[in-house]
């Protein structure tokens, strides 16, 4: 596995790098050697956060963990990713018959956790009038939701605005 380790508001020490490579290196049994693992560590006030993203043909495996100690965050993120892999193995394999970046041994092993069945229990139709992203944020707040899908008046595309931690907003736009 190829590790790309960076820091935000933090100088990534050799000790932290080694800890990341040691802990997340345990995931090597699931992935091929050319799999990239993007790791970003940051400190915000007293919170020490690690974000791990592993792009795998058609999917992104991601976890973000926060604690008061970066080493604890590293432990937590490894456990979460391993659990996600075991839980969704069957669904990941069904989507990509050639296995993508997963090792053959992992795909053939029968130790998966049975995932809960994904059931859509409600479908909601909405009227999408063209509006600006700022108006969509206001509408989202008025509805008390964490996200809001809208027809962007500036780009003539369907976009989603969402509430981020810290009271800021994000927007999801289609990739061209």
């Amino acid at each position: 596995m190829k590790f790309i380790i960076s820091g935000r508001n933090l100088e990534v020490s050799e000790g932290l790098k080694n800890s990341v490579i040691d802990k997340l290196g345990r995931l090597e049994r699931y992935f091929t050697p050319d799999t990239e693992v993007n790791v970003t560590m940051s400190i915000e006030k007293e919170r020490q956060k690690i974000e791990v993203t592993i792009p795998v043909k058609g999917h992104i495996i991601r976890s973000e963990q926060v604690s008061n100690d970066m080493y604890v965050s590293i432990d937590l993120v490894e456990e979460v990713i391993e659990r996600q892999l075991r839980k969704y193995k069957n669904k990941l394999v069904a989507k990509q018959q050639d296995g993508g970046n997963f090792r053959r041994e992992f795909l053939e092993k029968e130790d998966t956790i049975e995932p809960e069945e994904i059931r859509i229990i409600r479908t909601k139709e909405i009227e999408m009038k063209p509006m600006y992203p700022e108006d969509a944020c206001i509408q989202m707040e008025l509805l008390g939701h964490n996200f809001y899908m809208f027809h962007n008046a500036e780009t003539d595309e369907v976009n989603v605005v969402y509430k981020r931690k810290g009271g800021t907003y994000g927007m999801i736009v289609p990739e061209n």
Side-chain angles (χ1 to χ4, degrees):
M1 289 175 28
K2 299 174 188 169
F3 291 93
I4 300 166
I5 302 171
S6 61
R8 239 185 277 139
N9 302 331
L10 162 77
E11 179 90 23
V12 181
S13 68
E14 281 303 311
L16 280 175
K17 281 183 186 177
N18 292 336
S19 183
V20 166
I21 291 168
D22 180 49
K23 280 290 181 181
L24 297 179
R26 295 178 187 174
L27 300 173
E28 279 184 339
R29 65 178 178 251
Y30 301 112
F31 298 103
T32 57
D34 61 331
T35 303
E36 282 190 1
V37 179
N38 297 302
V39 179
T40 305
M41 292 182 264
S42 62
I43 296 178
E44 300 167 5
K45 299 180 184 169
E46 297 296 315
R47 301 167 7 135
Q48 302 205 13
K49 178 167 79 172
I50 182 169
E51 300 170 53
V52 177
T53 306
I54 307 170
V56 180
K57 193 177 179 186
H59 295 282
I60 293 177
I61 298 166
R62 185 180 185 285
S63 180
E64 177 181 306
Q65 296 298 314
V66 179
S67 74
N68 293 333
D69 181 352
M70 189 61 77
Y71 293 97
V72 172
S73 297
I74 293 168
D75 289 345
L76 292 171
V77 82
E78 186 267 336
E79 291 171 17
V80 168
I81 288 176
E82 190 163 8
R83 195 173 332 118
Q84 286 175 343
L85 287 171
R86 289 198 326 265
K87 185 174 182 179
Y88 291 106
K89 174 178 144 183
N90 292 337
K91 293 195 184 316
L92 292 170
V93 172
K95 294 270 189 210
Q96 52 197 45
Q97 293 304 315
D98 69 348
N101 289 33
F102 292 112
R103 286 187 180 269
R104 244 335 113 215
E105 305 84 60
F106 169 59
L107 298 176
E108 293 167 357
K109 200 172 175 186
E110 291 294 328
D111 70 341
T112 59
I113 299 170
E114 282 302 314
E116 302 88 46
E117 185 181 334
I118 297 173
R119 297 180 336 170
I120 297 172
I121 58 170
R122 183 176 177 199
T123 300
K124 192 173 189 177
E125 290 185 19
I126 60 170
E127 181 183 345
M128 283 210 277
K129 299 181 284 189
M131 63 174 63
Y132 294 97
E134 294 77 15
D135 297 329
C137 291
I138 292 168
Q139 186 64 46
M140 175 182 62
E141 292 292 339
L142 290 171
L143 292 170
H145 291 172
N146 294 325
F147 68 94
Y148 187 76
M149 186 170 65
F150 68 103
H151 184 108
N152 192 326
E154 295 171 338
T155 63
D156 202 34
E157 295 176 327
V158 174
N159 295 161
V160 175
V161 289
Y162 60 96
K163 205 171 201 170
R164 296 175 45 89
K165 292 177 186 170
T168 60
Y169 299 97
M171 187 163 78
I172 300 172
V173 298
E175 190 177 89
N176 292 333

